[in-house]
Amino acid sequence: MKRPSPEGLPPGALPGGTVARRMWRLFEPVHAVTYFAPACAGAFERAGLRGFWRGYFAGRSAPLGPVGAGPVVGCFFGFAPAMVSRALPEVWTRITPAEALDARLAGAREALGQVLGEPGPGEAADLAEPADLAELGGLLRAAAEHAPVAGRVLAAANAALSWPSDPLGVVWHATTILREHRGDGHVAALVTAGLDGVETAVWRASMGGVGRADFQRVRGWSDDEWTAAAGRLRARGWLGAAGQPTEASLSAFRSIETTTDRVAASVWDELGTDGVERCAALLAPVARRAAALLRWPNPIGVPDPREPISG
């Protein structure tokens, strides 16, 4: 049996060249600066939110309005209810959803603006020129506006927001819609496969990359919850005695990821083959620079865009 790669992806298990997967590995890092970049954390602190998780839950759930923990447990999927409840709805006594949306966009603009400057010594001058950034924003916006949002709560909520007026803001907002669209589809695939939030965390930790301690820290599952979920996965035949993924588990992984790609693919139809290729070419240098702000490996599971596509 093939062992998982350091990123937690079974080597050669997935078709790296599908349009949905190729574009995901480029747009996800651009969106994800909002979770990892110091500038984004600073924007939430200036808005009155101290502590990473207040900013995270406020920023990501703000498109839904001043919701409580229940809807967020449902649509974020992978977080322990107790962890979500520590932030929501209390965070709305500190900031309004509109203020949280302003803070997350300001932070994303600042973070991306910092890394899209001039290349340093020995670096290739592959960064987007202003005209390229505007063109990229137009292509990504066309794809995002084409995204079907029925049954996709987070994608629909973000798609309903007003578009920023600047090219960098458009790029980030479009990647956010595209990311949440794919994420909503991925959650549907996990639910269809019979997994709950903690089981998904245990399952992904078994594949390497981000381990149990990190998953528990960033998702909030207790030792008892983790142990019970591992027992259910062993009973299902997805974990071996030592906690390793079985062939059945890796087969399920391939099926879930293939389904996720399939239900995310239609957003790119609007651009056509040439438009997708142009979008990818413009997005690649932005993704590589954004990737420098992220943590690798990370619980998101996105492959590093600075590495060659495998599969």
Side-chain angles (χ1 to χ4, degrees), residues 2 10 30 68 83 93 117 135 144 163 186 197 208 222 236 240 243:
K2 292 180 178 179
V30 179
M83 183 174 183
T93 68
E135 182 183 0
W163 282 87
H186 185 58
S222 69
R236 190 172 181 173

Side-chain angles (χ1 to χ4, degrees), residues 31-80:
H31 160 75
V33 298
T34 194
Y35 310 130
F36 296 99
C40 296
F44 281 116
E45 287 185 4
R46 290 192 297 273
L49 296 183
R50 291 190 175 274
F52 173 83
W53 291 110
R54 286 195 181 102
Y56 175 86
F57 284 112
R60 193 174 175 211
S61 68
L64 301 171
V67 294
V72 171
V73 170
C75 61
F76 284 22
F77 186 73
F79 288 89

Side-chain angles (χ1 to χ4, degrees), residues 145-160:
E145 289 182 333
H146 184 68
V149 296
R152 290 176 165 93
V153 173
L154 287 172
N158 280 279

Side-chain angles (χ1 to χ4, degrees), residues 29-30 33 36-38 111-112 114-116 123 284-296 304-306:
V30 179
V33 298
F36 296 99
L112 291 172
Q114 289 172 351
V115 296
L116 293 179
E123 293 180 322
V286 181
R288 287 193 292 268
R289 284 307 179 98
L293 297 173
L294 309 187
R295 170 189 168 190
W296 303 98
D304 191 332
R306 297 167 295 185

Side-chain angles (χ1 to χ4, degrees), residues 18-33:
T18 62
V19 169
R21 184 156 293 268
R22 285 179 57 217
M23 298 307 292
W24 167 58
R25 74 197 304 270
L26 295 177
F27 69 69
E28 178 90 32
V30 179
H31 160 75
V33 298

